[in-house]
Amino acid sequence: MIRRKPIQMLSSFRNRMILIFFVIIILPFLLFAYYAHIKSIEGIMNANTTIQTSYLLQARKNFEIYLNDVNDQINVLIGNKRIQELLEREPKNPAEEESFTVNMLTVLYQTTPLVDAFRVRLFPIDPRTYPTYMSTIGESETVVGEEWFQRSKASISPTWHLSEPARGKSARPLLMYVKRFSGLYDQTPRGIIAADLSEDQIKRYFSPSDQVEDQKLLLLGEDGTVLYDSTANEWTGKPFPARSYIDAREDGSESLEIKGNTYLATSVGMDSEPWRIVSLTPMEQLTGTIDEITRLLVIILIVYLVCCVGVVAYITVNYTQPIVKLVRLMRRSESGDFRFSAPLATRLDEVGWLYRGYGSLIDRIEGLVEEASHSERKKKELEFQVLSHQINPHFLYNTLESIRWKAENHGRTDISEMVSALGNLLRLSLNSGKEITTLAREIEQVKAYVLIEQARMGKPVRILYIIDEETLAVPFLRLLLQPLVENAIEHSVRQNFEQGKIVLTGRTEGRDVVIELSDNGNGIPEEVLRRLEADEDTRSAAPGASRGGVGLRNVNDRLKLYFGSAYKLSIETGEGIGTRITLRHPILREGAQSTSDLLR
């Protein structure tokens, strides 16, 4: 047994190829690869350092100009005479405080859009004296005790604070610029301005190149905390992993080992703030070409080409020809001739296994043909059952029409309208079995559903339709809008009939139809939003999972299934701000009747 083992190993085609190429190619290339590696790393680091340093210097210049502009815009806001007058004295009673709130919000509504920031908030120097105002802007009076507020209150210079709001307000961290201001003609502190810079605004100045995958651009604070991470804020709010690199505080590049990955790190310091801009480029993504290595590679490849000719001849005789014979047998099988003879099935290598496997495949095909014949008969039976059940919707339409007619004869117009709306809703929902309808029919279905809901609840639903005329005739996937309107009624109108309202708008943007559904309710629960993006197995396995958000998930999953993840629902929601759902639907070709025709 021991003597036969090497012979058995060499009978494998794979083992033969490994042995041949190891002797002819692998050993020489091991020596060549070491030399190429040294030269490549040297060229990569030098070239990338020059490019990244130039880019970071330009990014630093642009970002500092932006920070100066924000500071100037804040100064203009602080110098507003009306704001100064409102903060000159504290309100003495609730009526004065309410008047202050209205006037201050009016001024801020007119002036804050001039500040290039995600959000601008103005806090009185003592927020506890202005409970109504603080409640109106969605802030707690306890903000006076927060560290960033106290630090800004005690400093005449602007300060920075990295806030990470809870989901529902903002899903992304915000870099907050905070500045205390006093009166125009005295040094008495009047209030604090807080301007939030979002990820999108910072990204304008720190966006990695698309040519290198997994490249990171970081903005680091004075203590080494990551203030901004270009890769979806992965490290934002956390200390930079390589502390020794930050402590050096020198511009330049070096290789860093971070979490098991090697990066080429390039950094520059900012002039206006004690921050650093760092670029992390994965070494494995960088490529370079060195002329000396290229010339040597060409010479080696020529030598190897000669060697490979002999290898190809060997492979042709021993392996290619037997495979060609097997291909001929497969072509005969394609024409329905399953007679099989295996002259090489006794070989012990992979070619022998192919012939034996092909024989097993032929036996399996014959079984599948028999099974397909049985399935075809079963399919015919199912089609007959489907045809026999097609009368049911027509029977239901006729029954509803009879009920409506009888209700009208007895003077019950409310019952007649409700039955008519139900029949219309059923007709539009079924859509004659077609998956594709039009936006106009979808809107008509929504109106029928709203009419039924109004009859059920006994109160009117405040809903406004703003649809561009040219969008009504476009082909549209059915049953997309009604679940969204149902969700809006559930989270807005049912909770407040007097104030609850829904706005449904539709317009065309490029090659898409954009539908927006807004309400002023309490927002969608966070648990429902989490399940919206979870896969089916995760939803089913979640302990205590409820059926909340089934309609939203159905619409979201169908959009992604038919049109791709770029067309999933976009939801902005939160307590106090209501909900806005944006649905993008591609403009389909004319005549599309089913999902198999979509985007064809």
Side-chain angles (χ1 to χ4, degrees):
M1 295 295 296
I2 298 178
R3 293 181 179 178
R4 292 181 180 178
K5 189 173 182 179
I7 298 176
Q8 292 175 351
M9 292 178 62
L10 290 177
S11 66
S12 169
F13 170 75
R14 180 188 60 187
N15 293 340
R16 290 179 187 177
M17 292 301 99
I18 291 175
L19 178 62
I20 292 172
F21 279 93
F22 183 83
V23 174
I24 297 178
I25 296 177
I26 301 301
L27 284 179
F29 259 108
L30 289 176
L31 300 176
F32 171 76
Y34 176 76
Y35 176 78
H37 176 74
I38 299 299
K39 288 293 184 181
S40 297
I41 292 298
E42 179 181 345
I44 289 170
M45 294 188 66
N46 292 337
N48 190 263
T49 297
T50 301
I51 295 172
Q52 290 300 321
T53 300
S54 176
Y55 173 80
L56 293 182
L57 290 174
Q58 184 62 43
R60 178 184 69 179
K61 177 181 177 181
N62 294 337
F63 187 59
E64 289 186 336
I65 291 174
Y66 168 70
L67 294 182
N68 289 334
D69 290 342
V70 171
N71 184 65
D72 293 339
Q73 294 161 2
I74 293 295
N75 288 337
V76 172
L77 182 62
I78 291 171
N80 186 282
K81 186 176 180 181
R82 182 57 177 157
I83 292 177
Q84 291 285 341
E85 290 174 354
L86 290 172
L87 292 172
E88 190 170 3
R89 67 182 184 86
E90 296 180 351
K92 298 179 179 179
N93 52 59
E96 288 187 4
E97 205 250 336
E98 183 176 352
S99 177
F100 164 85
T101 300
V102 173
N103 293 330
M104 179 59 75
L105 291 178
T106 300
V107 176
L108 293 178
Y109 178 80
Q110 296 171 349
T111 56
T112 53
L114 302 178
V115 181
D116 188 9
F118 172 75
R119 179 178 57 179
V120 178
R121 292 166 293 168
L122 187 147
F123 300 92
I125 202 68
D126 187 3
R128 294 168 296 187
T129 313
Y130 300 81
T132 303
Y133 171 76
M134 295 300 293
S135 175
T136 303
I137 66 174
E139 295 291 342
S140 173
E141 301 169 31
T142 59
V143 70
V144 70
E146 295 186 14
E147 184 271 339
W148 66 267
F149 191 95
Q150 292 293 329
R151 178 158 49 91
S152 177
K153 186 176 179 180
S155 174
I156 62 174
S157 300
T159 60
W160 292 89
H161 172 70
L162 179 65
S163 65
E164 298 183 82
R167 183 177 293 274
K169 280 189 175 182
S170 173
R172 300 177 180 176
L174 299 172
L175 187 59
M176 185 163 58
Y177 174 88
V178 188
K179 187 173 186 178
R180 191 197 75 184
F181 65 93
S182 58
L184 293 177
Y185 307 106
D186 55 45
Q187 297 301 318
T188 303
R190 296 287 172 82
I192 291 177
I193 289 287
D196 295 327
L197 307 186
S198 68
E199 176 190 5
D200 292 335
Q201 289 165 314
I202 302 177
K203 187 183 294 184
R204 292 181 296 185
Y205 307 96
F206 305 117
S207 295
S209 171
D210 294 335
Q211 297 178 356
V212 181
E213 287 186 74
D214 300 326
Q215 184 184 21
K216 281 179 176 287
L217 280 178
L218 307 174
L219 181 62
L220 306 183
E222 185 177 9
D223 59 351
T225 300
V226 179
L227 303 179
Y228 167 76
D229 183 354
S230 63
T231 54
N233 288 302
E234 180 184 6
W235 293 354
T236 302
K238 302 176 183 178
F240 186 73
R243 183 68 194 183
S244 58
Y245 180 75
I246 300 303
D247 292 338
R249 304 191 70 82
E250 294 180 358
D251 295 352
S253 297
E254 66 176 83
S255 177
L256 292 180
E257 188 78 16
I258 300 177
K259 297 182 180 181
N261 297 318
T262 303
Y263 294 90
L264 181 61
T266 306
S267 73
V268 296
M270 293 187 60
D271 296 330
S272 59
E273 299 290 343
W275 300 342
R276 299 195 70 77
I277 307 172
V278 179
S279 168
L280 294 180
T281 306
M283 292 294 295
E284 63 182 6
Q285 297 294 338
L286 297 176
T287 58
T289 304
I290 301 175
D291 293 338
E292 182 178 355
I293 296 177
T294 303
R295 289 193 296 270
L296 181 60
L297 179 62
V298 171
I299 296 173
I300 295 176
L301 288 177
I302 293 174
V303 175
Y304 286 164
L305 181 61
V306 176
C307 298
C308 288
V309 171
V311 174
V312 169
Y314 173 81
I315 294 175
T316 300
V317 173
N318 292 276
Y319 300 99
T320 303
Q321 290 301 327
I323 292 176
V324 169
K325 294 179 181 178
L326 185 59
V327 170
R328 292 172 182 167
L329 290 173
M330 295 175 66
R331 289 177 177 173
R332 285 168 52 189
S333 301
E334 290 178 354
S335 62
D337 182 5
F338 294 114
R339 291 174 296 176
F340 174 74
S341 60
L344 300 177
T346 57
R347 288 180 56 163
L348 300 178
D349 58 9
E350 284 77 1
V351 173
W353 279 104
L354 281 174
Y355 274 86
R356 289 189 291 273
Y358 178 70
S360 300
L361 181 62
I362 292 298
D363 295 337
R364 179 60 178 163
I365 289 175
E366 292 177 346
L368 289 176
V369 169
E370 179 63 27
E371 183 178 344
S373 177
H374 175 75
S375 298
E376 184 65 24
R377 291 193 299 269
K378 187 67 176 178
K379 177 182 176 183
K380 293 296 183 182
E381 295 175 3
L382 292 175
E383 288 177 350
F384 176 78
Q385 293 178 12
V386 171
L387 290 174
S388 66
H389 289 303
Q390 282 183 349
I391 191 174
N392 290 336
H394 300 289
F395 175 76
L396 183 56
Y397 294 149
N398 295 334
T399 303
L400 290 175
E401 183 63 21
S402 298
I403 295 173
R404 185 185 68 81
W405 178 76
K406 288 181 178 293
E408 287 182 350
N409 284 344
H410 287 79
R412 295 302 302 270
T413 57
D414 54 343
I415 298 178
S416 174
E417 291 176 357
M418 190 173 183
V419 170
S420 177
L422 178 58
N424 193 31
L425 179 64
L426 178 62
R427 175 180 59 82
L428 294 170
S429 299
L430 295 177
N431 196 36
S432 301
K434 300 175 183 178
E435 193 72 9
I436 302 301
T437 180
T438 63
L439 181 57
R441 289 174 65 86
E442 278 288 281
I443 298 298
E444 185 181 353
Q445 181 185 7
V446 168
K447 291 180 179 179
Y449 171 75
V450 171
L451 184 60
I452 294 173
E453 284 295 294
Q454 289 182 146
R456 289 179 61 235
M457 296 185 292
K459 294 183 179 181
V461 176
R462 300 172 63 193
I463 181 167
L464 177 63
Y465 305 92
I466 307 175
I467 310 296
D468 291 348
E469 289 293 333
E470 63 271 14
T471 65
L472 293 175
V474 299
F476 204 81
L477 195 63
R478 70 185 180 105
L479 288 178
L480 292 182
L481 300 187
Q482 183 271 332
L484 303 184
V485 174
E486 179 180 356
N487 181 77
I489 292 176
E490 179 68 25
H491 293 282
S492 174
V493 175
R494 287 186 185 274
Q495 301 171 11
N496 190 347
F497 279 101
E498 290 72 20
Q499 300 297 328
K501 61 181 179 180
I502 303 170
V503 178
L504 181 64
T505 65
R507 64 185 185 276
T508 302
E509 288 186 3
R511 301 184 63 183
D512 294 340
V513 175
V514 179
I515 305 295
E516 288 188 356
L517 184 71
S518 304
D519 65 66
N520 60 347
N522 294 329
I524 301 175
E526 181 179 351
E527 179 185 358
V528 174
L529 293 177
R530 284 198 302 267
R531 288 201 303 272
L532 188 64
E533 290 300 328
D535 56 37
E536 193 65 34
D537 294 338
T538 304
R539 297 170 190 162
S540 302
S546 67
R547 290 184 56 82
V550 172
L552 283 178
R553 290 202 306 271
N554 180 276
V555 173
N556 194 54
D557 292 347
R558 290 174 67 209
L559 286 171
K560 292 193 293 184
L561 175 64
Y562 295 138
F563 308 126
S565 58
Y567 287 91
K568 66 180 181 180
L569 293 179
S570 174
I571 302 177
E572 300 176 20
T573 184
E575 186 175 353
I577 64 173
T579 300
R580 182 171 67 181
I581 301 178
T582 302
L583 182 153
R584 303 187 73 90
H585 188 291
I587 298 177
L588 308 177
R589 68 181 184 86
E590 292 293 335
Q593 297 294 324
S594 65
T595 53
S596 61
D597 296 329
L598 295 184
L599 301 178
R600 190 177 288 174

